[in-house]
Amino acid sequence: NSISRLILFQLVRHADHILKRVNCKNNSLSEIEDQLRNFIDLFKYVDDKDLFQRFYSKKLANRLIHNTSVSIELEEVAISGLKDRCGYEYTSPLQRMLIDMKVSDDLTKEFDQHLENKNEKLNVVFSVNILQSGAWPFSANTGASEEQSDKNAPDFNVPSDLAVCIDKFKTFYNKKYSGRRLRFVFPLSNGTVILSHTPRQYT
């Protein structure tokens, strides 16, 4: 019913707050781990665990994509607790997202080393997340969630400096992984603009 659904969603939001980096400002690592244990204890009272997993996966995806998670290690602690309650298949999609982030981190480092070996430099700080199609709770084409329409995705004109980065990474990736299809989902990207033309620097 609607009340159960609301309670379920509030528990997902509670877990999301625990696992966000901002929570570190007021809590130590051991306190966050205690909060996670309490969260797992509450989870056992959830009736519709499939619906919980849908909500949880969306929050997890947002934390990982936007780099707001306190740490991959604590995400693994939370997922391990869910797995103990519901089994491997239940948490497999969540674990695939964590694996993608680890692989992406290694691949970005390898790309940086590739550029250094060729004495090439980029004009911007560039990193990528390589996400498995079907493992994440949004469209592979536009980044829209399951409830959103792909038609609502905004157009994006790639800045010239970023276009150079993308072309170089495509060349690197296609050489490393022949036959794989690489698609950039720009609505999920983020960047930092630094204004330095004034005495004080702004971001």
Side-chain angles (χ1 to χ4, degrees):
N1 57 42
S2 58
I3 295 178
S4 297
R5 187 184 179 98
L6 178 62
I7 293 173
L8 181 151
F9 185 61
Q10 290 301 322
L11 182 58
V12 172
R13 290 184 62 185
H14 175 59
D16 185 51
H17 173 73
I18 292 172
L19 289 163
K20 278 188 174 177
R21 190 180 302 136
V22 66
N23 195 27
C24 292
K25 295 180 180 179
N26 301 317
N27 296 278
S28 65
L29 180 60
S30 61
E31 288 173 328
I32 294 176
E33 290 174 340
D34 287 340
Q35 292 171 0
L36 284 177
R37 280 190 285 269
N38 292 335
F39 154 66
I40 296 300
D41 286 340
L42 291 173
F43 170 73
K44 67 183 178 183
Y45 297 106
V46 171
D47 291 327
D48 194 339
K49 288 185 168 53
D50 288 337
L51 183 60
F52 177 93
Q53 196 252 30
R54 282 180 55 199
F55 285 153
Y56 189 92
S57 67
K58 292 173 188 175
K59 292 292 187 181
L60 171 62
N62 282 331
R63 290 194 300 273
L64 296 178
I65 290 294
H66 299 295
N67 196 28
T68 60
S69 174
V70 60
S71 73
I72 292 294
E73 290 73 22
L74 284 175
E75 295 287 1
E76 289 175 333
V77 169
I79 292 174
S80 177
L82 298 177
K83 183 173 68 174
D84 289 342
R85 298 287 181 184
C86 296
Y88 173 79
E89 288 188 9
Y90 183 80
T91 56
S92 178
L94 309 178
Q95 292 172 318
R96 285 171 66 189
M97 286 192 274
L98 295 188
I99 291 172
D100 280 355
M101 299 307 292
K102 292 178 180 178
V103 171
S104 297
D105 185 55
D106 291 340
L107 193 59
T108 297
K109 292 176 182 176
E110 190 175 340
F111 176 58
D112 290 341
Q113 186 62 54
H114 166 76
L115 293 177
E116 185 176 331
N117 292 342
K118 296 182 67 176
N119 292 319
E120 295 182 6
K121 291 185 178 181
L122 303 176
N123 292 332
V124 297
V125 177
F126 179 77
S127 64
V128 293
N129 292 321
I130 305 297
L131 314 180
Q132 300 177 66
S133 178
W136 294 73
F138 42 67
S139 166
N141 293 317
T142 65
S145 68
E146 295 169 344
E147 288 78 11
Q148 295 172 324
S149 170
D150 286 358
K151 295 179 181 178
N152 295 327
D155 293 331
F156 180 68
N157 295 320
V158 181
S160 57
D161 283 343
L162 181 57
V164 171
C165 299
I166 291 172
D167 288 342
K168 289 183 180 296
F169 183 80
K170 281 182 176 179
T171 301
F172 162 79
Y173 186 86
N174 290 333
K175 185 176 181 180
K176 182 176 177 65
Y177 298 109
S178 171
R180 290 190 185 182
R181 184 180 180 186
L182 187 65
R183 179 190 294 116
F184 283 81
V185 186
F186 294 114
L188 293 176
S189 62
N190 61 78
T192 301
V193 177
I194 301 176
L195 301 179
S196 56
H197 65 284
T198 60
R200 181 179 176 182
Q201 192 176 80
Y202 295 89
T203 59

